[in-house]
Every structure is written in structure tokens, then in C-alpha cells.
Amino acid sequence: MNRRGFLQLTGAATLVLSAAACASSGSTGTLLRSAVAPPKRFSQPLPIPPELVPDAEGVIDLPVQPGWIEIFGGHKTKIRGYGGTFPGPTIRATKDQPLTVRLTNELDRPTVLHLHGGRTPSDSDGFPTDLVQPGTSRDYVYPMQQRAAFLWYHDHTMDATGANVYHGLAGMAIVHDEAEDALGLPTGDRDLPLLICDRSFDAGHQLNYPTGSADAGGPNHGGSGHDHGGDGDHGTGHSGHSGHSAHGGGHDDVVDPEYLGGLLSDVMLVNGAPWPVHEVDAARYRLRLLNASNARRIEISIDEQPLIQVATDQGLLQQPLERKSVTLAQAERVDVLVDFSAFAAGSRVRVRNLLGDGQMADIMEFHVAGASEPEAQIPTELSSYEVPDEAQVSVVRDLHFALGPSSEQHPHGVWMVNGEIFDPDKPLMTLQSGTVERWRLSTDVHHPIHVHLLQMHVVRHRGADPGPAYAGIKDTIDLHPGDTCEVLVPIDGYPGKYVLHCHNLEHEDMMMMSRFDIQ
């Protein structure tokens, strides 16, 4: 019996047993190989996305439109982009200065905008069914009453987030405040936001998201060659479509069932360029690292140079943290300081992915130019924030993320939270503003768990101290196969409906998401 047949027969039980046999450092998903040879590594310059700042009235215009970019020399690749680019422009905002993003949809399909990590009123948060239809505009209002942090924005359309993000609907956003600006951390050209993701391409050098959609290109089954669990990653079982297309973006972007465990690709992009190179001074840089992949986890190291972590998803840590490498699940962010004066002029400094094999073990290169410069000391204290007192907890909730059993409607099972698929009209839980809750998260396979609006403080991982991977205030938690993690969640912000979901985008589209309401 082949692997797919075995998984189809045994469903969720097989998935759990397979996960137990997986190394926890891998990725959950199936690899789709490109139908063309990859671009030459370390030959293209790192693109720096243009920046958007609000006008005098606090407004940014952000069109959503098709575009063409050059990833392979001499070939144009079609994207769906913010401003027709990938990544979209980097938004610069300031704490407590309200921002309005005026989104105009020039695509032929609906879209939804989500500011990932934003503390946003419900009607501007990007609920999956709050669609912006083709030819229409919508104002998203962000009060920016939040800490300085490295955020990102992306499509959040019901059933089609995976395809839309894969085709380019993602960009970075940076929130500043006076306290952080006064720390003397690197700024200007030495403050580099880096959006890292993997993508596959068909024989025409187009993005090859595996659907039946003619517009998206569809899976190139004749040329791409599928490698289940290759490249150091682990395949999963398959789940069925949710059947919620009446709420969302329609069926033309629904992923091929072969990839419902998650889509892994074989070309690494940084700011939209394959394995780029960037020239740096022999000085200290701040690298803002975002994993914008659909399903691939990455572990970043830079030629064994110490990485000084200063921030995570929701902003600055309390103190700097020295690390040899940092692991990022999908949607996680970290800010690290790297001192390039440790390298001789002319050095080629490799950024590696310790979770990848072959070409996917590399991310990009830095070329060191110029003489070293004296640097100010890194502050020993970065920020202060209140960690909830466990004695304040009023509600304890268990949230389990797993593949459900197969059924006639879903012959391969379906991704669930607490045994339920996403219902946009029904909250899984109702939270009371002003309280503190403890959430006990558990999984079958890899699931990066993201909560909208709220912030999570990890207090236990597998019953012990959470360690540096969970330092700081988080909005996305990387959970390994069979993992357990306890987080304290202050319930504050704004009333209304929000969602909690897995950020493996194929899992999310296949209904591993729950609505919660805040009263």
C-alpha cells in the first residue's frame, strides 16, 4: 500500500503516530518541487520594499492589484500584490498615532486585510468573512495603542488565505515609539526588515500553488515531481475541504488535497528575491526577521556569529538575549542584532536555515564592505512590561489542535480545534474583558497558534520553564508534535468577534480556526 492510501485508510490516528516518529525540528507538510531549475543563489541584490507613512490625516492608500516581478532572470512572475509588489510596501507607524489604511481591491476576487499582531477593533481586524469585493474600497482603522513592534499584514480571506499569501499578499509593518527610539539601536539602512518565505514555480516560472484554479496556474503534476516528506521535512495526512465557500473566497483557490497538511516549497525568497545578497558595513545591524512561509519552519544562524535577540512578536524583550540560532514558525518574528565588524572586509557571510537540506539550507548572504566603526554598547535593559500574575487567572481553557476523524463529507479528516471546525457564526468561547485566562494548548503535529488582538505570555512548555524560544510577549506560539504549552492571556483591547487559528495556512484554510467574542 502506498503512503497516501495508508493515510487515507487510517486517518487521524495515522497522523498522530507519524508525528510521534518525526523529529520535532521538522515541518509539517508535503514538498512541491518546482518544474524549473532554481535561480542562481547569491546573485540577486536584496530588494528593500518601499515605505509607506501616513499623510497629515493619518491615511495610507493601499491598492490590491496584480503585478509582475522578476524572480528568474529574463522571466516575469505574476503576483497578487499590495501596490502590485511582493512584498508589499513596508508600513511605518507610531504608537498612539491612529492610522487608517484605505484598501482598494483591484483584483478579480475578494480579499480581507489583517494586521498581524495589531491591537485592532473588531470591525478592522480582518475577520475572514468581512470581504472587500472586487472594485470596492474599505478603510481599516488602527488606533496604534500598542507597543513598538515588528508586525506584518496579509490577506485573511476565508478558504483562500494560503493561496493569496502564496501569490504575494503580504507585507511588513513597523510600529515605533519614543522609548525604543531612544535606546540607540541601529536605524536607517542598518535596520533591515526581512520577509523570508519558500515558493515553488511551474514550467512557465509562475508561482505554483497547487489548486485546480486556471488563474493560479494549478499544480504542475506533469513536471514538478512531488516529494513527500523530502528536504528534511515530514509529510502529513490529508483533510477535506470545509464546505464554507459561501462565506469566503470560493473554491478556485482551495488547495489540492495532497497538500492539506501544508505546502512546502523549494525556492527560498527574502523580500521577494531568491537567495539574495546584501552589502553591509562592518558595523552592527538590526535584522527584523519574519517567517512568511505557508508551512515551512526555519532555524536561522549566521556563520556561527552570536545573535543578540532584542525583540519578539510583540516588541522588545526586557533584556537582550544571546542565541546561537533562532527558530521561527510561520508568522513568528524576532529582531536580532548582528555585529558585522567581527568579519574582515570582503567577507561573504552566509545566513543559513538549520532545518533545511540542500539549497533550502541557505537563506541569503551578506557581503561585508568598509572598515569597522566603533559601536555604542547594547543596552542591558530594553523595556519593561507587566507579566500577568497567575493568581489573577479566573478561567482555565484547554485548546487542542488536531486532525479530526474522517467522514463521508471529509474522507481524509479535517483540521479542528477542540473537535470542531470553524463556524464564523458561532463563537467557541466568550471572554470577559478585564480578566486573565490560562490557556493550555496541545497539538498532534506542528501547529503555530496565532491569536488576534490578544497577547500571550508563555509560562510553561511541556510542564517546565519555557526557555528562550518563548521569551517576551507573543501573538504566535510554535507548538511541536505532541506539544503542550500553557499561556497567560490578559483579556483586554476592544469588544467584538476575533479568531484564534493555526498559522500553517493550509490548516487555517481547512478550518483549524475558532471564533471568540470579547464582552
Side-chain angles (χ1 to χ4, degrees):
M1 182 180 296
N2 65 27
R3 184 176 181 278
R4 180 191 285 186
F6 182 65
L7 285 169
Q8 290 174 347
L9 269 180
T10 56
T14 298
L15 183 64
V16 173
L17 290 173
S18 297
C22 291
S24 63
S25 61
S27 300
T28 293
T30 298
L31 180 65
L32 172 61
R33 294 196 182 277
S34 293
V36 291
K40 183 180 178 181
R41 285 178 291 168
F42 319 127
S43 62
Q44 295 190 30
L46 173 74
I48 305 298
E51 293 188 353
L52 288 178
V53 295
D55 63 19
E57 297 180 349
V59 177
I60 285 175
D61 288 310
L62 189 66
V64 185
Q65 55 196 183
W68 296 86
I69 63 174
E70 188 169 314
I71 297 174
F72 295 78
H75 300 275
K76 292 289 188 179
T77 297
K78 185 179 181 182
I79 62 162
R80 305 167 196 169
Y82 295 107
T85 67
F86 175 69
T90 299
I91 295 173
R92 295 272 182 176
T94 303
K95 178 182 177 181
D96 295 328
Q97 294 185 12
L99 168 69
T100 297
V101 174
R102 183 159 296 147
L103 191 83
T104 301
N105 185 5
E106 300 176 16
L107 298 176
D108 60 355
R109 65 195 68 228
T111 187
V112 175
L113 179 66
H114 172 54
L115 179 62
H116 185 117
R119 293 178 60 75
T120 305
S122 176
D123 58 1
S124 290
D125 184 63
F127 196 80
T129 57
D130 289 347
L131 304 177
V132 182
Q133 297 292 345
T136 67
S137 297
R138 176 170 183 162
D139 283 358
Y140 290 85
V141 180
Y142 305 124
M144 303 315 298
Q145 295 177 352
Q146 61 184 98
R147 308 176 80 228
F150 178 37
L151 312 181
W152 67 303
Y153 61 96
H154 59 81
D155 177 83
H156 210 262
T157 304
M158 181 91 161
D159 297 339
T161 297
N164 282 337
V165 172
Y166 199 86
H167 281 90
L169 289 180
M172 297 174 281
I174 298 173
V175 183
H176 296 271
D177 68 18
E178 292 182 356
E180 179 174 318
D181 291 345
L183 289 175
L185 299 175
T187 59
D189 292 342
R190 295 179 184 175
D191 180 0
L192 277 177
L194 302 174
L195 184 149
I196 305 167
C197 63
D198 60 335
R199 296 292 186 264
S200 296
F201 297 86
D202 67 16
H205 302 90
Q206 301 305 304
L207 289 160
N208 192 18
Y209 192 79
T211 70
S213 166
D215 175 75
N220 190 341
H221 294 293
S224 61
H226 308 306
D227 182 356
H228 302 281
D231 189 36
D233 300 301
H234 306 284
T236 73
H238 312 301
S239 55
H241 181 55
S242 64
H244 281 283
S245 63
H247 290 286
H251 284 273
D252 65 336
D253 275 334
V254 175
V255 71
D256 185 303
E258 187 167 356
Y259 299 91
L260 294 177
L263 176 61
L264 306 175
S265 300
D266 64 354
V267 174
M268 191 74 84
L269 304 180
V270 184
N271 290 358
W275 298 286
V277 61
H278 186 66
E279 185 173 290
V280 293
D281 301 321
R284 185 181 296 137
Y285 278 69
R286 179 178 187 168
L287 306 182
R288 301 180 189 254
L289 305 172
L290 158 65
N291 182 359
S293 302
N294 280 35
R296 181 179 293 276
R297 298 168 71 248
I298 56 177
E299 183 179 357
I300 297 169
S301 71
I302 301 181
D303 273 356
E304 300 184 358
Q305 176 73 5
L307 305 179
I308 308 301
Q309 183 181 348
V310 295
T312 186
D313 299 339
Q314 287 288 306
L316 290 173
L317 305 178
Q318 293 177 330
Q319 294 90 28
L321 181 62
E322 182 172 327
R323 305 180 66 180
K324 293 181 179 180
S325 64
V326 291
T327 300
L328 293 178
Q330 308 89 274
E332 283 192 298
R333 290 91 66 209
V334 298
D335 294 15
V336 297
L337 304 183
V338 178
D339 186 1
F340 290 105
S341 69
F343 300 93
S347 296
R348 302 171 69 92
V349 181
R350 187 75 54 87
V351 182
R352 302 182 188 277
N353 170 27
L354 301 183
L355 297 184
D357 291 336
Q359 65 195 27
M360 299 306 286
D362 290 325
I363 296 176
M364 65 176 292
E365 273 190 352
F366 290 104
H367 289 186
V368 181
S372 63
E373 302 176 18
E375 294 283 355
Q377 294 294 313
I378 299 172
T380 57
E381 301 292 329
L382 296 170
S383 72
S384 62
Y385 52 82
E386 184 178 354
V387 177
D389 185 344
E390 297 195 44
Q392 297 176 320
V393 171
S394 59
V395 176
V396 177
R397 301 184 191 272
D398 291 298
L399 297 171
H400 186 57
F401 297 79
L403 185 72
S406 59
S407 65
E408 183 175 352
Q409 182 181 6
H410 305 291
H412 312 307
V414 63
W415 297 107
M416 295 182 169
V417 182
N418 284 359
E420 297 187 19
I421 63 174
F422 178 51
D423 185 342
D425 301 318
K426 177 184 175 183
L428 177 72
M429 50 192 183
T430 300
L431 316 180
Q432 297 300 316
S433 183
T435 64
V436 176
E437 297 197 354
R438 180 195 302 275
W439 293 353
R440 300 188 296 207
L441 311 174
S442 59
T443 60
D444 55 356
V445 295
H446 283 111
H447 297 296
I449 308 306
H450 172 52
V451 60
H452 288 214
L453 179 70
L454 302 177
Q455 299 176 332
M456 296 181 284
H457 300 259
V458 180
V459 292
R460 289 177 185 80
H461 178 226
R462 300 176 186 167
D465 183 278
Y470 299 100
I473 306 174
K474 300 287 292 174
D475 58 53
T476 306
I477 302 290
D478 180 17
L479 294 185
H480 300 181
D483 236 348
T484 60
C485 190
E486 295 185 39
V487 300
L488 300 182
V489 186
I491 311 304
D492 60 5
Y494 307 93
K497 62 182 182 180
Y498 295 90
V499 290
L500 168 81
H501 60 84
C502 176
H503 223 284
N504 178 318
L505 296 185
E506 284 67 52
H507 296 185
E508 175 183 341
D509 282 345
M510 295 301 104
M511 298 301 102
M512 186 167 267
M513 178 156 49
S514 292
R515 170 181 162 180
F516 65 88
D517 291 357
I518 295 180
Q519 295 182 342

